[in-house]
Amino acid sequence: MVLPARVKIKGLYGLPKTHTPVTPAVLDTIMEFFQRHRGSVLGLTGAGVSVPSGIPDYRGTNGTYRVHGSYTPILHHELVSQHASRQRYWARSFFGIRPAFKAEPNPIHRAFASLESHKYLSGLITQNVDGLHLQAGSRNVLELHGTLKQVKCLSCGIKESRDEFQQRLEELNPEWTEFGREMAQTGAEPRRRPDGDVDLPSNLQYSSFSYPKCHHCRTGNYMPTVVFFGGSVPDQVREQSYRMVDDASALLVCGTSLATFSAYRLVKRAREQGKQVVILNFGQTRGDGDATMKLETTAEDVLPPVAAQLAETP
């Protein structure tokens, strides 16, 4: 069997020693950016936007790759081809998915929704799979890397809600279900990861975990409707992301190091078209050289006050 080429996962970039001070002048500059391009600013967000909601990121200040350097997420080819890898993924996700679904939108998500509803934002492309932008009220959202809210059969392609799939996992794994109740009662929540899984206690073995076959074709295995490391963005999603960039006059990038090429190529495309690119991110990004403006700060410090003020502006 020939394995795929080694996938570069971590892509860590440098962290600055100081933040850009968020002064009234800085907020005014971002407001003017939205007013200049009103109705045609496209947002591009990453994991840093959901950190205030309690969902960890990979490459931020306290990201998984920085704090736990040995951590390696599951790869696409492993999940598709290896029974043991599916056991590992579904066992870890078994405990991690409920807390992920309990996460609530934070002020950044609500700011994006407000900017869209007040006709400043044309749409939003997010790398996040948590669904929080939609939950906050954003409408024109492209989930570039999919969503954790569904699973699909690798054989027949039928989809099922992750909630329904979780119920079937619980029925197949009563001992694990009981252990989950005990953890909830004692508050011993395992360490969460950005992709909806957790670190399992050492006394639990993946080999004892069962997962169901497709309820439709009876033979296929399921995977979440997300793009795993080493996988590819579906053609129709990629083409839609290009159209959204082409239709916008400016790009606002928030909470991402742009380490994945599927996101970085959108910044590159916008700059090749001569469009303004503003990046709000604390830490170096792959697109810093393409940005017309880069602020070393978090979107949380900038977007909520800007959105609030623009909401009151005719």
Side-chain angles (χ1 to χ4, degrees), residues 9-299:
I9 297 172
K10 297 192 176 181
L12 289 176
Y13 296 94
L15 293 175
K17 294 182 179 179
T18 59
H19 284 76
T20 300
V22 182
T23 62
V26 168
L27 296 179
D28 285 345
T29 298
I30 300 301
M31 284 184 58
E32 291 167 3
F33 165 74
F34 277 109
Q35 290 169 331
R36 186 183 320 120
H37 299 282
R38 185 166 189 171
S40 62
V41 176
L42 176 65
L44 174 61
T45 67
V49 164
S50 290
V51 168
S53 294
I55 298 176
D57 63 0
Y58 284 112
R59 302 174 180 87
T61 305
N62 296 304
T64 295
Y65 291 154
R66 295 188 190 278
V67 179
H68 311 290
S70 62
Y71 172 71
T72 301
I74 196 165
L75 303 181
H76 175 84
H77 76 271
E78 295 173 338
L79 189 63
V80 168
S81 64
Q82 300 172 10
H83 168 65
S85 293
R86 287 191 290 271
Q87 283 184 304
R88 172 199 167 201
Y89 176 78
W90 290 122
R92 292 162 68 104
S93 176
F94 182 79
F95 293 121
I97 202 67
R98 293 297 191 201
F101 282 175
K102 289 179 181 176
E104 297 287 338
N106 64 58
I108 309 172
H109 298 113
R110 291 191 288 272
F112 272 111
S114 175
L115 288 166
E116 182 185 13
S117 68
H118 288 92
K119 311 301 183 184
Y120 287 98
L121 202 71
S122 62
L124 185 61
I125 299 174
T126 183
Q127 300 168 77
N128 300 340
V129 296
D130 51 42
L132 292 180
H133 279 299
L134 290 167
Q135 193 175 330
S138 291
R139 294 290 177 261
N140 187 22
V141 179
L142 177 64
E143 294 175 309
L144 188 65
H145 296 155
T147 175
L148 283 173
K149 303 288 187 182
Q150 291 182 317
V151 297
K152 67 178 179 181
C153 175
L154 291 168
S155 295
C156 70
I158 196 168
K159 294 181 180 180
E160 178 179 345
S161 79
R162 184 63 178 81
D163 275 335
E164 292 175 356
F165 188 75
Q166 182 74 10
Q167 292 172 13
R168 295 208 281 149
L169 289 176
E170 291 173 354
E171 291 169 0
L172 286 172
N173 299 277
E175 298 87 356
W176 290 64
T177 301
E178 181 58 32
F179 185 77
R181 293 194 187 100
E182 292 174 2
M183 284 198 300
Q185 291 172 357
T186 60
E189 183 179 330
R191 188 166 56 203
R192 294 168 58 191
R193 298 302 191 190
D195 45 5
D197 71 357
V198 298
D199 279 343
L200 289 181
S202 58
N203 61 318
L204 289 179
Q205 300 297 318
Y206 303 134
S207 58
S208 68
F209 194 83
S210 299
Y211 56 85
K213 293 288 186 179
C214 175
H215 65 86
H216 180 71
C217 69
R218 307 295 181 184
T219 59
N221 294 305
Y222 285 98
M223 71 174 291
T225 53
V226 302
V227 178
F228 282 79
F229 288 98
S232 299
V233 172
D235 291 346
Q236 65 272 24
V237 174
R238 183 185 67 249
E239 292 304 317
Q240 185 178 348
S241 72
Y242 290 167
R243 288 194 297 271
M244 292 175 76
V245 171
D246 295 348
D247 291 343
S249 65
L251 187 64
L252 176 69
V253 181
C254 295
T256 174
S257 63
L258 299 168
T260 60
F261 187 68
S262 56
Y264 171 63
R265 65 187 172 196
L266 301 179
V267 172
K268 192 169 179 289
R269 188 180 184 92
R271 285 304 296 146
E272 288 173 347
Q273 295 175 3
K275 295 174 180 178
Q276 189 171 3
V277 175
V278 173
I279 298 179
L280 304 181
N281 190 69
F282 183 68
Q284 181 184 1
T285 83
R286 192 175 184 176
D288 283 359
D290 300 288
T292 50
M293 182 192 307
K294 167 72 185 297
L295 298 181
E296 293 289 350
T297 187
T298 66

